[in-house]
Coordinates of all heavy atoms in Angstrom, one line a residue:
S268 N 0.8 -1.2 0.0 CA 0.0 0.0 0.0 C 0.8 1.3 0.0 O 0.5 2.2 -0.7 CB -0.9 0.0 1.2 OG -0.2 -0.1 2.4
I269 N 1.9 1.2 0.8 CA 2.8 2.4 0.9 C 3.7 2.6 -0.4 O 3.7 3.6 -1.0 CB 3.7 2.3 2.1 CG1 2.8 2.4 3.4 CG2 4.7 3.4 2.1 CD1 2.1 3.7 3.6
L270 N 4.4 1.5 -0.7 CA 5.4 1.7 -1.8 C 4.8 1.7 -3.2 O 5.3 2.5 -4.0 CB 6.5 0.5 -1.7 CG 7.3 0.6 -0.4 CD1 8.3 -0.6 -0.4 CD2 8.1 1.9 -0.3
A271 N 3.8 0.9 -3.4 CA 3.1 1.0 -4.7 C 2.5 2.4 -4.9 O 2.6 3.0 -6.0 CB 2.0 0.0 -4.8
Y272 N 2.0 3.0 -3.8 CA 1.4 4.3 -3.9 C 2.5 5.4 -4.2 O 2.4 6.3 -5.0 CB 0.7 4.7 -2.6 CG 0.2 6.1 -2.5 CD1 -1.1 6.4 -2.9 CD2 1.0 7.1 -1.9 CE1 -1.6 7.7 -2.8 CE2 0.5 8.4 -1.8 CZ -0.8 8.7 -2.2 OH -1.3 9.9 -2.1
A273 N 3.7 5.2 -3.5 CA 4.8 6.1 -3.7 C 5.4 6.2 -5.1 O 5.8 7.3 -5.5 CB 5.9 5.8 -2.6
I274 N 5.4 5.1 -5.8 CA 6.1 5.1 -7.1 C 5.1 5.1 -8.3 O 5.5 5.1 -9.4 CB 7.0 3.9 -7.2 CG1 6.2 2.6 -7.3 CG2 8.0 3.8 -6.1 CD1 7.0 1.3 -7.7
K275 N 3.8 5.1 -8.0 CA 2.8 4.9 -9.1 C 2.9 5.9 -10.3 O 2.5 5.5 -11.4 CB 1.4 4.9 -8.5 CG 0.9 6.2 -7.9 CD -0.5 6.0 -7.3 CE -1.0 7.3 -6.6 NZ -1.3 8.3 -7.6
D276 N 3.4 7.1 -10.0 CA 3.5 8.0 -11.1 C 4.9 8.3 -11.6 O 5.1 9.3 -12.3 CB 2.8 9.3 -10.7 CG 1.3 9.1 -10.4 OD1 0.7 8.4 -11.2 OD2 0.8 9.7 -9.5
D277 N 5.8 7.5 -11.2 CA 7.2 7.8 -11.5 C 7.8 6.6 -12.3 O 8.1 5.5 -11.8 CB 8.0 7.9 -10.2 CG 9.4 8.6 -10.4 OD1 10.0 8.4 -11.5 OD2 9.9 9.3 -9.5
P278 N 8.1 6.8 -13.6 CA 8.7 5.8 -14.5 C 10.1 5.3 -14.1 O 10.5 4.3 -14.7 CB 8.6 6.4 -15.9 CG 8.7 7.9 -15.6 CD 8.0 8.1 -14.3
K279 N 10.8 6.0 -13.2 CA 12.1 5.6 -12.8 C 12.1 4.4 -11.9 O 13.1 3.7 -11.7 CB 12.8 6.7 -12.1 CG 13.1 8.0 -12.9 CD 14.0 8.9 -12.2 CE 13.6 9.3 -10.8 NZ 12.4 10.1 -10.8
F280 N 10.9 4.0 -11.4 CA 10.8 2.9 -10.5 C 9.8 1.9 -11.0 O 8.9 2.1 -11.7 CB 10.4 3.4 -9.1 CG 11.2 4.5 -8.5 CD1 10.8 5.8 -8.6 CD2 12.5 4.2 -8.0 CE1 11.6 6.8 -8.1 CE2 13.3 5.2 -7.5 CZ 12.9 6.5 -7.5
E281 N 10.0 0.6 -10.5 CA 9.1 -0.4 -10.8 C 8.9 -1.4 -9.6 O 9.8 -1.5 -8.8 CB 9.6 -1.2 -12.0 CG 11.0 -1.8 -11.9 CD 11.4 -2.5 -13.2 OE1 10.5 -2.8 -14.0 OE2 12.6 -2.7 -13.4
R282 N 7.8 -2.0 -9.6 CA 7.5 -3.0 -8.5 C 7.9 -4.3 -9.1 O 7.3 -4.9 -10.0 CB 6.0 -2.9 -8.3 CG 5.4 -3.8 -7.2 CD 4.0 -3.4 -6.9 NE 3.3 -4.4 -6.1 CZ 2.0 -4.2 -5.7 NH1 1.3 -3.1 -6.1 NH2 1.4 -5.2 -5.0
V283 N 9.0 -4.8 -8.6 CA 9.7 -6.0 -9.2 C 9.3 -7.3 -8.6 O 9.4 -8.4 -9.3 CB 11.2 -5.8 -9.2 CG1 11.7 -4.6 -9.9 CG2 11.7 -5.8 -7.7
D284 N 8.8 -7.4 -7.3 CA 8.5 -8.7 -6.8 C 7.6 -8.4 -5.6 O 7.7 -7.5 -4.8 CB 9.8 -9.4 -6.3 CG 9.6 -10.9 -6.3 OD1 8.5 -11.4 -6.7 OD2 10.6 -11.6 -5.9
D285 N 6.6 -9.4 -5.4 CA 5.7 -9.3 -4.3 C 5.8 -10.5 -3.4 O 6.3 -11.6 -3.9 CB 4.2 -9.3 -4.8 CG 3.9 -8.0 -5.5 OD1 4.5 -6.9 -5.2 OD2 3.0 -8.0 -6.4
Y286 N 5.5 -10.4 -2.1 CA 5.7 -11.5 -1.2 C 4.4 -11.7 -0.4 O 4.0 -10.8 0.4 CB 6.9 -11.2 -0.3 CG 8.1 -10.8 -1.0 CD1 8.5 -9.5 -1.1 CD2 8.8 -11.7 -1.8 CE1 9.6 -9.1 -1.9 CE2 9.9 -11.4 -2.5 CZ 10.3 -10.0 -2.6 OH 11.4 -9.7 -3.3
A287 N 3.7 -12.8 -0.6 CA 2.5 -13.1 0.1 C 2.7 -13.5 1.5 O 2.9 -14.7 1.8 CB 1.7 -14.2 -0.7
T288 N 2.8 -12.5 2.4 CA 3.1 -12.8 3.8 C 1.8 -12.9 4.6 O 1.9 -13.2 5.8 CB 4.0 -11.7 4.3 OG1 3.3 -10.4 4.1 CG2 5.3 -11.6 3.7
G289 N 0.7 -12.7 4.0 CA -0.6 -12.8 4.8 C -0.8 -11.7 5.8 O -1.5 -11.9 6.8
E290 N -0.1 -10.6 5.6 CA -0.3 -9.5 6.5 C -1.7 -8.9 6.5 O -2.2 -8.6 5.5 CB 0.8 -8.4 6.2 CG 2.2 -8.8 6.6 CD 3.1 -7.6 6.5 OE1 2.8 -6.5 7.1 OE2 4.1 -7.7 5.8
K291 N -2.1 -8.6 7.7 CA -3.4 -7.9 7.9 C -3.2 -6.8 8.9 O -2.5 -6.9 9.9 CB -4.5 -8.9 8.4 CG -4.8 -10.0 7.4 CD -5.9 -11.0 7.9 CE -6.2 -12.1 7.0 NZ -6.7 -11.6 5.7
L292 N -3.8 -5.7 8.6 CA -3.7 -4.5 9.4 C -4.8 -4.4 10.4 O -6.0 -4.7 10.1 CB -3.7 -3.2 8.6 CG -2.7 -3.2 7.4 CD1 -2.8 -1.8 6.7 CD2 -1.3 -3.5 7.9
G293 N -4.5 -4.0 11.7 CA -5.5 -3.9 12.7 C -5.2 -2.7 13.6 O -4.1 -2.1 13.5
I294 N -6.2 -2.3 14.4 CA -6.0 -1.2 15.4 C -5.6 -1.8 16.7 O -6.3 -2.8 17.2 CB -7.4 -0.5 15.5 CG1 -7.8 0.2 14.2 CG2 -7.3 0.6 16.6 CD1 -9.2 0.8 14.1
S295 N -4.5 -1.3 17.3 CA -4.1 -1.9 18.5 C -4.7 -1.2 19.7 O -4.9 0.0 19.7 CB -2.5 -1.9 18.6 OG -2.1 -0.5 18.8
I296 N -4.9 -2.0 20.8 CA -5.6 -1.5 22.0 C -4.8 -2.1 23.2 O -4.3 -3.2 23.1 CB -7.0 -2.0 22.0 CG1 -7.8 -1.5 20.7 CG2 -7.8 -1.7 23.2 CD1 -8.7 -2.5 20.1
K297 N -4.8 -1.4 24.3 CA -4.2 -1.9 25.5 C -4.7 -3.3 25.9 O -5.9 -3.6 25.8 CB -4.4 -0.9 26.6 CG -3.4 -1.2 27.8 CD -3.5 -0.1 28.8 CE -2.6 -0.3 30.0 NZ -2.6 0.8 31.0
K298 N -3.7 -4.2 26.2 CA -4.1 -5.5 26.6 C -5.2 -5.6 27.7 O -5.1 -4.9 28.7 CB -2.8 -6.2 27.1 CG -2.8 -7.7 27.1 CD -2.6 -8.3 25.8 CE -2.5 -9.8 25.8 NZ -2.6 -10.4 24.4
G299 N -6.2 -6.4 27.4 CA -7.3 -6.6 28.3 C -8.4 -5.6 28.3 O -9.4 -5.7 29.0
N300 N -8.3 -4.5 27.4 CA -9.3 -3.5 27.3 C -10.4 -4.0 26.3 O -10.5 -3.6 25.2 CB -8.8 -2.2 26.8 CG -9.7 -1.0 26.9 OD1 -10.9 -1.3 27.2 ND2 -9.2 0.2 26.8
T301 N -11.2 -5.0 26.7 CA -12.1 -5.7 25.8 C -13.3 -4.7 25.4 O -13.8 -4.9 24.3 CB -12.7 -6.9 26.5 OG1 -13.3 -6.5 27.8 CG2 -11.7 -8.0 26.8

């Protein structure tokens, strides 16, 4: 999301390889604050 966005309009750069790491983004909360 960050790097593809950063280079999307610049022909000097290319996205050469992707890695399926299964990353998911979440909101962090203090432990136990249900």
Side-chain angles (χ1 to χ4, degrees):
S268 56
I269 294 296
L270 294 181
Y272 177 86
I274 68 166
K275 64 185 178 69
D276 296 321
D277 196 330
K279 297 193 302 294
F280 304 103
E281 57 185 340
R282 185 170 163 176
V283 298
D284 207 3
D285 294 332
Y286 311 102
T288 54
E290 288 191 51
K291 296 180 183 294
L292 307 183
I294 296 170
S295 71
I296 301 142
K297 192 172 183 178
K298 199 75 174 171
N300 191 348
T301 55

